[in-house]
């Protein structure tokens, strides 16, 4: 099946620093990628939709200036958590949708990035 | 709008069957089923697109009702490896993001 990678898998940072998370589709092109956040024992909550070559669409309540998304190519989207605080500690997961019409319904998830802000 | 999943949790002995339901107040474009193990990302199980559709294999299958408002995931003769949290993700239109239910925690014990 299609493979999506995320880097880093784990990050610990001090409060006030910025953290960049990369999401890559390894064997397919993805015009659309999605960023989710999951707190312990909760569901995945959509943060934003990332479209290649255009601005991301953020869900209500998600600060676009705090969570910067860049989808610079068909295989890479980045999420930057700026001025991270302890309440931003979470499991961040990206997903990508294959651009091929026959496969576009399926979303493939990356392995996730655990962020701990001290 | 978040789909409603039920039950919230279920405990099974190996070999027993389980059904997990996912419902929406509006007709859906698709339903996706995922399983997530603790500390890991969700793993795609299957997608249903057509009303009245049933798919999967003997052990894990799913259905999508005619009105496309309800889907059920069927786990037959459960194995220890089936343990995890099952999420349904729903789309209201093509190429829209998935909205996930709150999940059903399944524990299979020997």
């Amino acid at each position: 099946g299609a493979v999506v990678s995320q880097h880093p898998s784990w990050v610990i940072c001090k409060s006030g620093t910025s953290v960049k998370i990369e999401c890559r589709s390894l064997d397919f092109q993805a015009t659309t990628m999605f960023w989710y956040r999951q707190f312990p024992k909760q569901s995945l909550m959509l943060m934003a939709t990332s479209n290649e070559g255009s601005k991301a669409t953020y869900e209500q309540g998600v600060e676009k200036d705090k969570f910067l998304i860049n989808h610079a190519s068909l295989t890479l989207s980045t999420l930057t958590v700026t001025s991270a605080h302890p309440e931003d500690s979470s499991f961040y997961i990206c997903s990508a949708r294959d651009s091929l019409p026959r496969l576009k319904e399926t979303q493939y998830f990356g392995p996730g990035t655990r962020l701990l802000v001290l | 709008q978040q789909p409603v999943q039920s039950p919230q949790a279920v405990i099974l002995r190996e070999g027993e069957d389980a059904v997990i339901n996912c419902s929406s107040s509006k007709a859906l474009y698709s339903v996706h089923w995922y399983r997530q193990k603790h500390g890991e990302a969700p793993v795609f199980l299957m997608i249903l697109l057509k009303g009245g559709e049933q798919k999967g294999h003997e052990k894990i299958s799913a259905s999508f009702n005619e009105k496309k408002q309800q889907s059920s995931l069927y786990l037959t003769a459960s194995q220890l490896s089936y343990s995890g949290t099952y999420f349904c993700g729903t789309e209201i239109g093509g190429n829209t993001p998935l909205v996930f239910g709150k999940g059903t925690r399944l524990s299979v014990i020997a």
Side-chain angles (χ1 to χ4, degrees):
Chain A
V3 178
V4 175
S5 71
Q6 273 185 248
H7 178 80
S9 54
W10 262 102
V11 59
I12 301 173
C13 68
K14 291 183 179 180
S15 187
T17 60
S18 293
V19 175
K20 181 187 279 189
I21 302 170
E22 292 185 349
C23 176
R24 292 181 187 273
S25 56
L26 297 183
D27 52 0
F28 64 97
Q29 293 185 331
T31 52
T32 305
M33 290 184 174
F34 304 97
W35 287 96
Y36 293 84
R37 180 167 54 181
Q38 186 179 34
F39 292 106
K41 297 187 179 181
Q42 293 188 23
S43 186
L44 292 88
M45 299 303 295
L46 179 69
M47 297 176 68
T49 301
S50 171
N51 295 299
E52 188 264 337
S54 64
K55 289 184 179 179
T57 304
Y58 290 83
E59 294 300 299
Q60 195 171 13
V62 178
E63 298 174 59
K64 62 180 181 180
D65 294 329
K66 181 170 181 63
F67 299 98
L68 302 178
I69 291 172
N70 187 346
H71 195 149
S73 75
L74 287 172
T75 59
L76 173 64
S77 176
T78 61
L79 168 69
T80 301
V81 183
T82 62
S83 187
H85 291 286
E87 59 266 28
D88 298 323
S89 299
S90 188
F91 189 41
Y92 291 86
I93 311 174
C94 71
S95 70
R97 196 191 295 268
D98 197 314
S99 300
L100 290 176
R102 65 179 176 85
L103 296 173
K104 67 178 175 62
E105 286 85 10
T106 305
Q107 283 193 34
Y108 299 97
F109 281 83
T113 296
R114 291 207 176 276
L115 171 64
L116 177 61
V117 185
L118 302 176
Chain B
Q1 192 172 11
Q2 188 176 36
V4 177
Q5 270 188 251
S6 64
Q8 287 185 327
V10 60
I11 301 174
L12 298 174
R13 291 196 180 275
E14 270 187 294
E16 292 182 337
D17 303 339
V19 180
I20 300 171
N21 299 304
C22 175
S23 64
S24 169
S25 58
K26 296 183 180 180
L28 300 164
Y29 177 79
S30 68
V31 173
H32 304 228
W33 285 98
Y34 290 83
R35 177 172 60 210
Q36 185 178 31
K37 302 268 187 182
H38 181 68
E40 300 177 9
V43 172
F44 174 75
L45 294 176
M46 66 189 82
I47 176 177
L48 297 108
L49 289 159
K50 299 176 185 176
E53 183 177 10
Q54 285 198 303
K55 73 190 306 182
H57 54 75
E58 204 176 281
K59 295 285 182 98
I60 301 178
S61 61
S63 64
F64 200 10
N65 75 344
E66 289 288 347
K67 288 186 176 180
K68 300 182 74 174
Q69 287 182 258
Q70 204 214 346
S71 177
S72 295
L73 184 71
Y74 306 93
L75 302 162
T76 306
S78 58
Q79 305 167 14
L80 294 174
S81 61
Y82 287 5
S83 294
T85 301
Y86 289 78
F87 291 99
C88 67
T90 58
E91 285 182 288
I92 55 172
N95 206 32
T96 55
L98 288 175
V99 179
F100 287 90
K102 291 187 176 181
T104 296
R105 181 171 290 190
L106 178 72
S107 301
V108 181
I109 58 176

